[in-house]
């Protein structure tokens, strides 16, 4: 991570703040060093939302279906799960100590809705926001000052950042991509088709048919299968992988060998805990320079609508090196 360039950008108020706030710079540097691309932070937010939805038990996939008490609990869970992931030390007066500095943590599902308690005055706050409907998230650091806050009108006297002073937030990651809630963003007809069957296995099969080339996380699988042995329902030997193979559909997991297949086919590879499905066809002369992968001694490409359906090859061993 390059040092903060005080001369870059047009936010003169923040630049001036950074010049005089060594703690703000130190906490920023520590967080970016631990998570340069924000992948760990994004995963915590994704997993926390899924934890609240509890799809394996409830079948829910939409934030709007949460109870008011569950939504209120979201901030506490984000705070806990971030501390577990990054192993922040407990704060003495705030939630954490990061780089030896007291930092409070506030999460809001509505951008700008962070509720800051009076006791955080003068301290740093780690502000986080995520929106499942737009698949975006942000996190930044803010020095709490009374002149930058709206005065609280609720019984807890909690405060919010004035809109005109959100430019005082030093963003760690701004409007970044949140791992997609596939069920929420599926076309309604496709989603209805996925949930039409009473069989968890059949629901999963339909999901991998209809959500091809999209990263499907374990929590989505849990929500669709609604069975404790949900991972078994994806694999071969009776799971979706073997059930859909005659239809030409590959289901790649997060193994290096599977990720390599996806990359060679030119599709997004699954990340840890994810799957990606795609229908393939044997490469023929008309496919020209289309990306391809060699499996079972034949070249395969991502099938187009005009390609015939043929049985997909076996994926390489999990232990194969990409």
């Amino acid at each position: 991570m390059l040092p903060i360039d005080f001369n870059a950008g047009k936010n003169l108020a923040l630049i001036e703040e950074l010049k005089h706030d060594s703690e703000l710079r130190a906490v920023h540097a520590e967080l970016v060093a631990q998570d340069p691309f924000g992948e760990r932070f994004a995963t915590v937010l994704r997993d926390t939302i899924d934890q609240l939805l509890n799809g394996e038990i409830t079948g829910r996939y939409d934030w709007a279906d949460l109870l008011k008490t569950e939504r209120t609990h979201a901030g506490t869970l984000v705070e806990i799960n971030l501390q577990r992931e990054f192993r922040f030390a407990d704060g003495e007066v705030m939630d954490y100590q990061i780089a030896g500095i007291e930092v409070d943590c506030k999460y809001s599902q509505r951008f700008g809705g962070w509720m800051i308690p009076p006791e955080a005055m003068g301290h740093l706050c780690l502000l986080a926001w995520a929106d499942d409907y737009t698949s975006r998230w942000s996190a930044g650091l803010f020095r709490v000052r009374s002149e930058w806050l709206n005065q609280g009108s609720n019984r807890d006297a909690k405060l919010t950042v004035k809109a005109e002073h959100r430019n005082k937030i030093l963003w760690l990651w701004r409007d970044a991509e949140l791992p997609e809630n596939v069920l929420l963003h599926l076309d309604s007809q496709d989603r209805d088709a996925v949930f039409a069957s009473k069989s968890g296995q059949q629901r999963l099969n339909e999901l991998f048919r209809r959500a091809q080339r999209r990263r499907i996380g374990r929590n989505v699988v849990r929500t669709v299968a609604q069975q404790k042995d949900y991972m078994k329902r994806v694999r071969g030997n009776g799971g979706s992988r073997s059930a859909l193979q005659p239809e030409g559909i590959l289901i790649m997991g997060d193994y290096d060998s599977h990720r390599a297949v996806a990359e060679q086919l030119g599709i997004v590879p699954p990340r840890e805990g994810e799957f990606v499905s795609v229908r393939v066809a044997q490469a023929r002369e008309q496919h020209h320079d289309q990306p391809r992968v060699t499996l079972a001694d034949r070249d395969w490409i991502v099938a187009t609508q005009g390609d015939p359906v043929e049985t997909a090859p076996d994926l390489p061993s999990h232990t194969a090196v990409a």
Side-chain angles (χ1 to χ4, degrees):
M1 177 68 184
L2 295 174
I4 299 169
D5 184 354
F6 295 134
N7 298 312
K10 299 180 181 179
N11 191 346
L12 300 179
L14 182 56
I15 291 171
E16 194 62 28
E17 183 70 17
L18 285 168
K19 287 180 179 179
H20 298 94
D21 198 332
S22 60
E23 290 187 344
L24 183 60
R25 298 198 306 271
V27 174
H28 178 277
E30 175 65 22
L31 290 172
V32 173
Q34 287 202 47
D35 193 11
F37 303 105
E39 294 174 347
R40 294 170 65 190
F41 208 110
T43 298
V44 169
L45 293 175
R46 171 77 272 148
D47 288 348
T48 302
I49 294 171
D50 291 336
Q51 181 181 352
L52 284 162
L53 291 168
N54 194 17
E56 181 180 346
I57 303 300
T58 66
R60 298 179 304 189
Y61 52 84
D62 191 334
W63 178 275
D65 293 333
L66 292 175
L67 301 173
K68 181 180 178 180
T69 51
E70 291 175 312
R71 293 195 296 270
T72 302
H73 191 47
T76 300
L77 283 179
V78 168
E79 174 194 328
I80 292 169
N81 291 339
L82 284 173
Q83 187 168 26
R84 285 175 177 168
E85 173 64 28
F86 291 96
R87 298 185 179 182
F88 299 138
D90 285 333
E92 294 183 5
V93 291
M94 294 288 100
D95 294 325
Y96 313 136
Q97 283 191 24
I98 303 175
I101 297 159
E102 296 283 330
V103 179
D104 210 31
C105 178
K106 294 301 168 193
Y107 169 80
S108 176
Q109 199 267 341
R110 179 177 62 84
F111 186 81
W114 307 288
M115 303 300 291
I116 300 173
E119 58 266 26
M121 196 66 66
H123 290 283
L124 291 178
C125 267
L126 173 59
L127 305 177
W129 160 80
D131 185 347
D132 230 2
Y133 299 102
T134 60
S135 299
R136 312 305 295 177
W137 70 279
S138 297
L141 296 165
F142 178 73
R143 175 68 73 180
V144 181
R145 294 187 177 178
S146 59
E147 62 268 28
W148 294 346
L149 301 175
N150 294 304
Q151 295 306 306
S153 58
N154 55 50
R155 62 185 178 183
D156 296 326
K158 289 186 177 179
L159 315 171
T160 56
V161 181
K162 290 181 179 179
E164 64 267 30
H165 289 298
R166 291 175 192 162
N167 63 354
K168 310 302 191 303
I169 300 171
L170 176 58
W171 294 109
L172 293 150
W173 306 280
R174 181 72 175 92
D175 204 29
E177 179 185 356
L178 183 71
E180 185 188 29
N181 181 337
V182 173
L183 292 173
L184 183 64
H185 291 277
L186 266 184
D187 178 87
S188 59
Q189 290 184 332
D190 288 334
R191 187 167 56 237
D192 289 345
V194 168
F195 284 104
S197 176
K198 293 183 179 180
S199 162
Q201 184 64 69
Q202 292 303 318
R203 291 195 297 269
L204 272 183
N205 294 351
E206 196 65 29
L207 174 68
F208 286 114
R209 283 193 192 99
R210 291 177 179 266
Q212 293 187 36
R213 305 196 204 189
R214 297 169 80 161
R215 288 168 167 155
I216 297 174
R218 289 180 181 175
N219 280 308
V220 174
V221 173
R222 291 174 62 199
T223 301
V224 172
Q226 290 191 273
Q227 295 169 327
K228 291 185 177 180
D229 58 348
Y230 62 94
M231 291 299 290
K232 180 180 177 182
R233 305 294 173 176
V234 178
R235 303 187 182 107
N237 299 319
S240 294
R241 188 169 284 146
S242 57
L244 298 181
Q245 190 172 14
E247 300 177 27
I249 296 175
L250 293 176
I251 301 176
M252 289 152 284
D254 59 6
Y255 306 108
D256 286 346
S257 55
H258 289 196
R259 287 174 48 82
V261 170
E263 289 169 349
Q264 290 176 65
L265 287 172
I267 63 174
V268 59
R271 294 169 294 208
E272 184 178 356
E274 293 180 331
F275 302 93
V276 174
S277 63
V278 67
R279 188 171 78 87
V280 295
Q282 288 189 55
R284 295 176 173 83
E285 185 176 348
Q286 68 266 26
H287 295 125
H288 303 295
D289 295 328
Q290 190 169 336
R292 60 196 63 202
V293 62
T294 301
L295 295 171
D297 298 323
R298 297 181 182 179
D299 287 344
W300 300 84
I301 52 92
V302 174
T304 64
Q305 192 170 4
D307 288 314
V309 174
E310 50 193 321
T311 299
D314 290 331
L315 285 163
S317 166
H318 302 166
T319 57
V321 178

